[in-house]
Amino acid sequence: MPGFLDQLLQGVNSASRIVTSSYVFSTKTILLLKDLATGGSGSRNIPVRLREAFEELGATYIKLGQFIASAPSLFPEEIVTEMQKCLDSVRPLPFSDIQKVLKKELGRDYQKLFQSIDPAPMASASIAQVHSAVTKDGLDVVVKVQRPDIEGALGADLNLLFLASKLFEIFVPGLNKSGLSEMVGMFQSSILEEIDFIKEANNCEEFERYLLSSGETRARVPKIYRELSTKKVLVMEKFYGAPITDEVSLRKFSKDPSKTLSDALEIWFSTLSKSGFFHADVHAGNLMVLRDGTVGFIDFGIVGRISSKVWEGLMIFLEGLALNRTDRIASGLVRMDGTAKGVDEKKLAKDLETVFDQMSKMVLDIQMGELDAFDEKKMNTILFEFRDISDRNGLKIPKEFGLLIKQILYFDRYIKSFAPELDLIRDREKFIK
């Protein structure tokens, strides 16, 4: 009865994980009490002890720390600030642990599939570790390997977190309307997507199909080697180039940096407008200029899909942003919610004025060359305020809206670095072809 045995093992692992979590948190609590007993400031140490506990408990809690850091409207400022230290770069696993995963996923003779695998990782994150390799056919690839037992730990952690969020909403005054459990649910669905490398491979190839069907030659995605990939191992072509924000490399690999950036933006926008599919994590590490001058899109662990109504609403929203008109922004938000009925757009526009001023200032500062004006903390604060105002006015903003706005502002920041003559918000129609 393998099904029963699997369920029993999963139950044991979950119970063990809960015990481990309880032990770590109780240990940090004891340290806090010790701080207080010796005259220290326990309240000041709470964020530090909490962050230490998250890092000790690993992937789920590191990701949760990052989530808290990006949600300043939901959590106290001192905790948000401390959680900024929960970076996704963690201590590398010994290569022997990586080999165990490779043996389990690709077979005990997996080494016959490769000429070599560099035991030193290219990158080490909370969910996976990446190594350079050469296939048996002499192809340069990168091998993304999921950390051992991460799936079981995530399942137990996420169920515990969701239950805790529900209990907090019931027993803590003021949290019942905060949407905390909904946010934990979004966090849960997002992280579960990231640990399925088959989905990531599918996303990458979906983007590639669009490029091929449209005859697009200005951009590429890594080739996925399906015969070497599983849910926990992803083998793909190794790209040679540099992050698109590396000014020296950009000018080295591209004769016209402004055009390269414009091409990248046009490709991203056209994919979104024609297929509703978009790369939802175009930070500098995931957008490259390759040695031949083409644009390389990598890491499709986070993508988004939108309906035609959301697309239409986004265009109206950006028009309002460009023209400083809150009435158009309100119309755009209403358009995004296909179920909205009887919304008072004038009242919505009035309520949006303060948060609109914050976003307008951020966009203006970026366009004036102040590239530090855009950061995750400010952006998430604005997006949560948009959500709260929309909720109060009977609107439900799709979760993809926040992803879209972030990607657009990422691009706007890149443009102001290397192509200041372009104005993404004002000239958005130029990029939609």
Side-chain angles (χ1 to χ4, degrees), residues 79-95:
I79 292 180
V80 169
T81 300
E82 184 64 28
M83 290 302 167
Q84 302 282 351
K85 299 175 184 177
C86 278
L87 302 176
D88 201 27
S89 177
V90 300
R91 183 177 300 172
L93 286 173
F95 189 58

Side-chain angles (χ1 to χ4, degrees), residues 268-284:
W268 184 85
F269 252 128
S270 64
T271 310
L272 173 63
S273 64
K274 294 177 182 176
S275 68
F277 173 80
F278 65 99
H279 190 305
D281 195 19
V282 290
H283 65 70

Side-chain angles (χ1 to χ4, degrees), residues 72-295:
S73 65
L74 289 181
F75 304 96
E77 182 179 355
E78 60 274 15
I79 292 180
V80 169
T81 300
E82 184 64 28
M83 290 302 167
Q84 302 282 351
K85 299 175 184 177
C86 278
L87 302 176
D88 201 27
S89 177
V90 300
R91 183 177 300 172
L93 286 173
F95 189 58
S96 57
D97 289 351
I98 296 299
Q99 287 178 308
K100 290 176 184 177
V101 178
L102 291 171
K103 285 179 182 178
K104 185 176 180 180
E105 294 296 309
L106 302 179
R108 298 193 65 82
D109 295 331
Y110 80 91
Q111 290 170 315
K112 294 180 180 179
L113 302 172
F114 302 92
Q115 290 184 16
S116 64
I117 301 179
D118 189 345
M122 295 173 61
S124 181
S126 56
I127 288 177
Q129 194 157 293
V130 180
H131 292 258
S132 293
V134 179
T135 68
K136 65 178 181 180
D137 299 321
L139 301 171
D140 288 351
V141 296
V142 294
V143 183
K144 184 176 180 180
V145 183
Q146 197 169 117
R147 287 177 168 255
D149 304 321
I150 191 76
E151 192 170 10
L154 280 173
D157 290 343
L158 291 170
N159 288 333
L160 184 62
L161 286 170
F162 189 74
L163 175 62
S165 69
K166 283 292 188 183
L167 292 175
F168 275 125
E169 287 184 338
I170 293 171
F171 294 110
V172 178
L175 277 185
N176 60 322
K177 295 182 180 180
S178 70
L180 180 61
S181 60
E182 180 186 352
M183 297 304 297
V184 171
M186 289 173 60
F187 167 68
Q188 181 176 17
S189 62
S190 172
I191 198 170
L192 289 176
E193 286 275 327
E194 285 190 61
I195 64 169
D196 187 343
F197 293 167
I198 296 299
K199 288 184 179 179
E200 182 175 341
N202 292 341
N203 293 337
C204 185
E205 291 181 344
E206 182 176 349
F207 196 88
E208 183 180 40
R209 283 195 296 274
Y210 171 78
L211 296 178
L212 292 173
S213 65
S214 60
E216 184 56 71
T217 59
R218 295 171 296 174
R220 293 174 54 210
V221 299
K223 174 180 172 57
I224 304 294
Y225 294 95
R226 290 278 186 172
E227 68 279 10
L228 300 176
S229 299
T230 70
K231 185 178 179 180
K232 298 182 179 181
V233 174
L234 183 60
V235 179
M236 51 195 152
E237 175 187 4
K238 185 176 184 179
F239 273 175
Y240 289 94
I244 206 161
T245 52
D246 182 336
E247 184 172 2
V248 174
S249 296
L250 180 59
R251 298 190 185 282
K252 177 181 177 182
F253 298 139
S254 172
K255 296 179 180 178
D256 188 346
S258 176
K259 186 177 187 306
T260 299
L261 281 167
S262 181
D263 288 346
L265 183 54
E266 184 182 315
I267 292 161
W268 184 85
F269 252 128
S270 64
T271 310
L272 173 63
S273 64
K274 294 177 182 176
S275 68
F277 173 80
F278 65 99
H279 190 305
D281 195 19
V282 290
H283 65 70
N286 291 339
L287 198 60
M288 300 177 66
V289 54
L290 306 182
R291 288 177 176 176
D292 62 1
T294 58
V295 176

